[in-house]
Amino acid sequence: MPLLPITDSLAEWVLRHRADAGGQARGAQLTQALRGAIQQGVLQPTSRLPSTRALADRIGVARNTVVAAYAQLGAEGFVVAGHGSGTFVRPLVQDGVQLPAAVPAAPAAAPPPELSQRGRRYRGDPLHRFWVERPFCPGLFDATLFPQALWNRLMAEGLRHTDAAQLGRGHSGGAPQLRAAIAAHVHATRGVRCTPGQVVLTDGTAQSIALVARLLCDAGDRAWIEDPCYWAAHRALEDLGLVLQPLPLDADGAVVPPAPGGPGAKLAYLTPSHQFPTGVTMSPARRQAWLDHARAHGTVLLEDDYDSEFRYSGAPHPSLQGLDATTGAGNRVIYLGSFSKTMFPGIRLAFAIVPAVLAEVFASAATDYDRDGDQLLQLTMARFMAEGHYAAHVRRLREAFAARREILVQTLLQQVPALVAARPPMRLLGGPRGVHLALSLPAGCDDRAVAADAASRGVTVIPLSSYAVTAPQPGLLLSFAGVPAQQIVARAESLAQVLRGVVPQARTKPGRSST
């Protein structure tokens, strides 16, 4: 990239290149270096050269030497001097035609670094093929639902009162005000039992998972994960060298593994409130069975409660963490939460709630591994929660998302006969909660081909097989939260055209249950 034509950068160019004209007088060396800067595009046409005095002082020559060099370049047609306005580079012209500045020949490219096995696996992940930000892509943000003016006011007030403490490293584990607000919120809404000191702030759920795995596991340790599983959780645990063992799902959620013959798994990653991606909710009996298993075999349960705020009917099930604290010692569950779905995707603010005995080491490690996050952001979020704005905002989102989900569900049921057949070959999975729908497809169906067909019609759906650990289950994931209600029907009708063509192409071989 060309250097900017300012005094320091041009002086550095001259000092590096005038040695190429060794044996010549200083004036000739300077002229040749400046001529090369113009020919090679370092000094662009119409750009202004530094003053003769400034350049002379910077490269350690007499001002008259620079004056003479500028005059020689003017005589050769490379520059033109204005009357009191400075010296400027002329466009290069040949036979009346303006030519671009010459670009030096690039050296032969060295072979690029080779990706690691982990890098190749990441690059080849099928999610990258289908993740296009349009309806119904996960993670879309509808700015019309966010109280931007209120948030801007709180941020601006925080900026006006910024002090040295906010410019420093901050507190280990995050801003105490936000940790206290989170502890109060999850206790009131999810029955989580903790002190503010047990809350550790991170930049995202994947970072929370990696922090837990770093501190509690060694490479080669075993970890249970749901199958299919949240992509970032799968990759975070695998990249840290854990041996992943998939858990099948049934109508009650992730199946509790049998008693191990040897050492048990160190971790189990679970999404009990709304399994990702299938949408299954773990039953109370299954939750208790998991806690019993964890206590008996020393397993730590990672409870990812990623979208529990969005429940549209019925009473909520208690969190695993709250159930553990009520019926046991309270040390078997680490609760994970995030603000990316309730606030905005770019907020990069999440948290882990760890056992009290581990709170200090987790807070310290979060600071040392990843550094503390944006102090102004954390304090603004703390105020947003403490003043009641967050709860009110979530209520508005819940109403809007419930309406969008209903429009999407009803449109698909009306447009796709296979969904309402006596023995439906495809089904909507999960209940009225969360920010996405999962749709099972007939056994033997190529869900990636279906997703590609939908993409050709301007609709993003993610194949469920992309989230599989070992046993792909054909299906689709589509998120409704970020799609304005007025756009849902038309996009859902486009998707329905694709789905209506699926059933005749499906093989009749029975397949594994999608839940």
Side-chain angles (χ1 to χ4, degrees):
M1 179 179 292
L3 296 173
L4 293 174
I6 59 176
T7 303
D8 284 348
S9 57
L10 180 60
E12 290 176 4
W13 168 273
V14 169
L15 292 171
R16 287 201 312 271
H17 289 81
R18 71 180 185 182
D20 296 339
Q24 300 181 16
R26 280 193 169 188
Q29 293 178 12
L30 175 59
T31 301
Q32 182 168 321
L34 291 173
R35 186 186 299 115
I38 296 171
Q39 291 175 326
Q40 297 186 40
V42 176
L43 288 170
Q44 293 290 321
T46 74
S47 62
R48 180 176 178 174
L49 274 66
S51 70
T52 55
R53 187 181 304 280
L55 185 58
D57 289 344
R58 182 63 179 80
I59 63 176
V61 299
R63 181 188 177 199
N64 286 342
T65 302
V66 180
V67 171
Y70 280 18
Q72 180 61 33
L73 292 173
E76 296 174 4
F78 285 98
V79 299
V80 59
H83 297 288
S85 59
T87 302
F88 296 85
V89 178
R90 271 185 165 176
L92 301 181
V93 177
Q94 179 176 308
D95 298 330
V97 179
Q98 181 174 324
L99 302 177
V103 178
E114 292 187 5
L115 290 173
S116 65
Q117 183 179 7
R118 181 167 53 234
R120 292 193 298 271
R121 185 171 60 243
Y122 169 79
R123 185 175 64 180
D125 195 288
L127 274 178
H128 298 151
R129 172 187 173 193
F130 297 102
W131 200 283
V132 179
E133 292 190 357
R134 61 189 173 194
F136 297 100
C137 183
L140 292 183
F141 173 60
D142 185 355
T144 64
L145 298 177
F146 185 69
Q148 189 72 60
L150 170 61
W151 180 257
N152 289 352
R153 177 174 64 80
L154 295 178
M155 288 285 285
E157 291 174 1
L159 277 171
R160 284 198 296 272
H161 297 94
T162 296
D163 56 25
Q166 294 179 34
L167 301 178
R169 292 183 58 188
H171 295 267
S172 293
Q177 299 93 322
L178 180 54
R179 298 166 79 187
I182 290 171
H185 173 75
V186 296
H187 177 66
T189 61
R190 300 296 297 125
V192 172
R193 299 190 176 211
C194 68
T195 66
Q198 292 175 248
V199 180
V200 178
L201 302 183
T202 69
D203 286 347
T205 297
Q207 188 181 103
S208 298
I209 294 169
L211 179 64
V212 172
R214 280 194 181 111
L215 294 181
L216 300 186
C217 301
D218 294 309
D221 285 342
R222 294 189 297 155
W224 296 108
I225 61 171
E226 300 166 325
D227 189 8
C229 184
Y230 173 44
W231 182 90
H234 183 177
R235 292 292 177 245
L237 294 173
E238 188 175 57
D239 288 350
L240 287 170
L242 275 71
V243 178
L244 304 185
Q245 298 185 293
L247 294 164
L249 306 174
D250 61 19
D252 292 320
V255 173
V256 179
K266 287 288 187 70
L267 297 177
Y269 172 80
L270 304 170
T271 51
S273 294
H274 191 224
Q275 200 280 328
F276 189 89
T278 66
V280 175
T281 298
M282 187 178 289
S283 67
R286 182 63 57 80
R287 292 168 189 252
Q288 188 59 56
W290 264 110
L291 289 174
D292 293 342
H293 178 89
R295 293 167 191 154
H297 304 292
T299 303
V300 174
L301 308 182
L302 298 188
E303 179 183 13
D304 186 353
D305 214 25
Y306 67 98
D307 68 356
S308 61
E309 292 89 353
F310 304 117
R311 185 189 69 263
Y312 311 119
S313 67
H317 291 302
S319 65
L320 276 176
Q321 196 273 359
L323 189 61
D324 182 34
T326 303
T327 62
N331 289 327
R332 302 299 349 140
V333 180
I334 293 179
Y335 181 92
L336 308 179
S338 168
F339 292 104
S340 62
K341 288 181 171 56
T342 53
M343 293 294 288
F344 45 91
I347 194 170
R348 307 315 308 148
L349 191 56
F351 57 92
I353 297 177
V354 304
V357 69
L358 297 176
E360 183 177 352
V361 67
F362 266 81
S364 177
T367 297
D368 287 336
Y369 281 131
D370 302 302
R371 296 302 174 191
D372 297 297
D374 185 331
Q375 297 297 301
L376 175 61
L377 172 66
Q378 293 180 12
L379 292 174
T380 302
M381 188 68 205
R383 186 177 169 192
F384 191 73
M385 297 181 76
E387 294 181 1
H389 306 305
Y390 181 70
H393 173 56
V394 169
R395 284 196 298 271
R396 288 191 294 269
L397 288 182
R398 190 180 297 124
E399 293 174 1
F401 292 173
R404 294 177 183 192
R405 182 185 184 279
E406 185 66 14
I407 293 170
L408 176 58
V409 168
Q410 292 304 320
T411 303
L412 291 176
L413 292 177
Q414 293 168 9
Q415 295 285 329
V416 185
L419 288 172
V420 294
R423 298 183 63 182
M426 61 178 71
R427 294 183 298 118
L428 295 176
L429 306 176
R433 60 186 61 84
V435 294
H436 73 271
L437 286 179
L439 174 72
S440 71
L441 296 177
C445 181
D446 184 349
D447 59 358
R448 299 184 186 187
V450 176
D453 193 358
S456 70
R457 300 170 190 261
V459 177
T460 290
V461 290
I462 308 297
L464 287 187
S465 63
S466 299
Y467 298 103
V469 182
T470 58
Q473 306 172 45
L476 303 173
L477 181 148
L478 49 158
S479 177
F480 50 83
V483 187
Q486 62 271 23
Q487 297 181 20
I488 290 178
V489 171
R491 299 303 180 114
E493 288 176 344
S494 296
L495 176 60
Q497 294 177 26
V498 176
L499 296 177
R500 286 196 295 269
V502 166
V503 174
Q505 300 172 9
R507 300 200 298 260
T508 58
K509 181 178 69 174
R512 176 184 173 187
S513 170
S514 296
T515 58

